[in-house]
Amino acid sequence: MPNNQFKRGELYSFMTGKASTAIARRLQKNFKQVGIDITVEQWSVLYHLWKQDGMSQQELCNATFRDKPSITRLVDNLEKQKLVKRVASKDDRRMNLIYLTDEALKLETQTLEVANTTLNEALDGVGPDNIAICKEVLQIVYDNLK
Amino acid sequence: MPNNQFKRGELYSFMTGKASTAIARRLQKNFKQVGIDITVEQWSVLYHLWKQDGMSQQELCNATFRDKPSITRLVDNLEKQKLVKRVASKDDRRMNLIYLTDEALKLETQTLEVANTTLNEALDGVGPDNIAICKEVLQIVYDNLK
DNA sequence: TTTGGTTAGTTGCATAACTAACTATATGCC
DNA sequence: GGCATATAGTTAGTTATGCAACTAACCAAA
């Protein structure tokens, strides 16, 4: 049973994710502005590798909420840019373990600063309580649908 | 001056829009399931045309928060599927006015039902007050960055 | 009326997404 | 061991996005 009914005008912004598109665009622009030449999607992969280096592609799929072909190509492109290296696992030769290069390790601090700046631009004028509630709602939405 | 500082773990979900990705995927899946053969991006264009038929491509850019090439191609594909027609404006021959076909008019009610269902799936377990706050926050984010 | 700037739309190129089909390796059961 | 099945990753085809460069039409000022 539906717990909410929406008037037609209310559907749209929720369904199309304008806010998250706007954040992604701004983040991309801010990367560019400080001379960081990676896409936001590549950043999302690096983000998880900074937390735990040597993840498999499948683990990156789960972490980034992307499918396998997407990760294959993101890793392809990151490899081209010499930011990661594929290493075949010795335990299970089906698996590639993805390792950061020194180059990529250097990007961590710099990109997190840019991400922080971007988020502050985005949330300017929003109170901390409402940010918390919004995060919570988005988490529930994700859990409901993933 | 930043009004919020984020711990590293808090950045990610906001920046990558997992929730909106999940909603878009589910909406796409639900369209497919009831035999509606359009992409969610095409739906977002039709959505505005149902409200106001005969918009120009530039107006669709503003309404859908997409750039001009994106709209050009979405309209290309919608035209291929015989859901819209480009009509050169008589007042200003640079402009294309985009008109819905009868086929597309029939889709309105059906897709809005699917969208409503999808949103109810997404927001299951979220209280109305929190939904309102979340919408408000996302609107501010959008306004801050657009 | 001509020139220069602006606006509407298109095209080309690179990256990314989803689906489906594929290869290769691993695993479990007989 | 051998076969069926599952898992990890790749490839191919279609759609979509962002950016930059382009054409065509409009408009305003000299």
Side-chain angles (χ1 to χ4, degrees), chain A residues 1-27 40 43-45 47-48 50-51 62-67 108 112 114-116 118-131 133-142 144-146, chain B residues 1-27 40 43-45 47-48 50-51 62-67 108 112 114-116 118-131 133-142 144-146:
Chain A
M1 57 232 73
N3 68 337
N4 304 293
Q5 287 298 329
F6 300 94
K7 285 179 293 198
R8 61 163 297 149
E10 294 185 308
L11 276 167
Y12 182 75
S13 62
F14 255 111
M15 309 304 282
T16 54
K18 279 194 196 184
S20 64
T21 304
I23 290 180
R25 273 187 213 167
R26 179 62 65 91
L27 179 60
V40 293
W43 177 77
S44 79
V45 172
Y47 184 90
H48 291 282
W50 286 319
K51 282 198 290 192
N62 302 334
T64 64
F65 196 47
R66 290 181 164 82
D67 67 356
E108 177 174 9
L112 286 177
V114 174
N116 221 317
T118 305
L119 208 45
N120 282 320
E121 289 171 6
L123 293 172
D124 185 42
V126 183
D129 292 353
N130 285 352
I131 292 175
I133 290 170
C134 186
K135 277 184 53 180
E136 202 181 303
V137 171
L138 295 180
Q139 184 63 46
I140 295 173
V141 166
Y142 174 67
N144 281 342
L145 300 182
K146 77 177 170 212
Chain B
M1 60 231 71
N3 68 338
N4 305 293
Q5 288 298 328
F6 300 93
K7 283 179 293 198
R8 62 164 297 153
E10 294 184 308
L11 276 166
Y12 182 75
S13 62
F14 255 111
M15 308 306 280
T16 53
K18 280 194 196 184
S20 65
T21 303
I23 290 180
R25 272 187 214 166
R26 179 62 64 93
L27 180 59
V40 294
W43 177 78
S44 79
V45 171
Y47 184 90
H48 291 281
W50 286 319
K51 283 198 292 192
N62 303 334
T64 63
F65 195 48
R66 289 181 165 81
D67 68 355
E108 178 174 9
L112 286 178
V114 174
N116 221 316
T118 306
L119 209 44
N120 282 321
E121 290 171 6
L123 293 172
D124 185 44
V126 183
D129 292 354
N130 284 353
I131 292 175
I133 290 170
C134 186
K135 277 184 53 178
E136 204 181 300
V137 170
L138 296 180
Q139 184 63 47
I140 295 174
V141 166
Y142 175 66
N144 282 342
L145 299 183
K146 80 176 170 211

Side-chain angles (χ1 to χ4, degrees), chain B:
Chain B
M1 60 231 71
N3 68 338
N4 305 293
Q5 288 298 328
F6 300 93
K7 283 179 293 198
R8 62 164 297 153
E10 294 184 308
L11 276 166
Y12 182 75
S13 62
F14 255 111
M15 308 306 280
T16 53
K18 280 194 196 184
S20 65
T21 303
I23 290 180
R25 272 187 214 166
R26 179 62 64 93
L27 180 59
Q28 184 72 73
K29 187 179 147 194
N30 288 348
F31 279 159
K32 194 169 186 180
Q33 209 149 42
V34 298
I36 298 174
D37 199 29
I38 59 174
T39 66
V40 294
E41 294 84 359
Q42 290 172 350
W43 177 78
S44 79
V45 171
L46 296 177
Y47 184 90
H48 291 281
L49 293 173
W50 286 319
K51 283 198 292 192
Q52 189 194 329
D53 204 9
M55 293 174 80
S56 72
Q57 295 189 195
Q58 183 58 54
E59 286 170 330
L60 286 171
C61 292
N62 303 334
T64 63
F65 195 48
R66 289 181 165 81
D67 68 355
K68 289 194 291 174
S70 294
I71 291 298
T72 292
R73 273 151 224 185
L74 282 171
V75 172
D76 283 349
N77 285 330
L78 285 167
E79 221 174 13
K80 270 188 226 158
Q81 296 178 251
K82 305 229 183 295
L83 293 172
V84 305
K85 259 195 345 186
R86 279 184 172 92
V87 177
S89 165
K90 287 177 183 174
D91 298 338
D92 183 339
R93 282 180 305 157
R94 288 171 305 179
M95 283 201 290
N96 294 331
L97 305 182
I98 313 301
Y99 289 98
L100 295 161
T101 63
D102 292 347
E103 179 85 14
L105 287 169
K106 285 185 224 156
L107 285 177
E108 178 174 9
T109 309
Q110 205 184 353
T111 60
L112 286 178
E113 262 171 41
V114 174
N116 221 316
T117 301
T118 306
L119 209 44
N120 282 321
E121 290 171 6
L123 293 172
D124 185 44
V126 183
D129 292 354
N130 284 353
I131 292 175
I133 290 170
C134 186
K135 277 184 53 178
E136 204 181 300
V137 170
L138 296 180
Q139 184 63 47
I140 295 174
V141 166
Y142 175 66
D143 291 335
N144 282 342
L145 299 183
K146 80 176 170 211

Side-chain angles (χ1 to χ4, degrees), chain A residues 16-136:
Chain A
T16 54
K18 279 194 196 184
S20 64
T21 304
I23 290 180
R25 273 187 213 167
R26 179 62 65 91
L27 179 60
Q28 183 73 71
K29 188 179 145 193
N30 289 348
F31 279 158
K32 194 170 185 176
Q33 209 149 43
V34 299
I36 298 174
D37 199 29
I38 58 174
T39 66
V40 293
E41 294 85 359
Q42 290 171 352
W43 177 77
S44 79
V45 172
L46 295 177
Y47 184 90
H48 291 282
L49 292 172
W50 286 319
K51 282 198 290 192
Q52 189 194 328
D53 203 7
M55 292 173 82
S56 73
Q57 295 190 195
Q58 184 57 54
E59 285 170 331
L60 286 172
C61 290
N62 302 334
T64 64
F65 196 47
R66 290 181 164 82
D67 67 356
K68 289 192 292 174
S70 295
I71 291 297
T72 292
R73 269 151 226 185
L74 283 171
V75 172
D76 284 348
N77 286 329
L78 285 167
E79 220 173 15
K80 270 190 227 159
Q81 295 178 254
K82 305 226 181 298
L83 293 173
V84 305
K85 262 198 338 189
R86 279 183 172 93
V87 177
S89 165
K90 287 177 183 173
D91 298 338
D92 184 339
R93 280 182 308 158
R94 289 172 304 180
M95 285 201 288
N96 294 330
L97 305 182
I98 312 301
Y99 288 98
L100 296 161
T101 63
D102 293 347
E103 179 84 13
L105 287 168
K106 285 186 221 154
L107 285 176
E108 177 174 9
T109 309
Q110 205 183 353
T111 61
L112 286 177
E113 262 171 41
V114 174
N116 221 317
T117 301
T118 305
L119 208 45
N120 282 320
E121 289 171 6
L123 293 172
D124 185 42
V126 183
D129 292 353
N130 285 352
I131 292 175
I133 290 170
C134 186
K135 277 184 53 180
E136 202 181 303

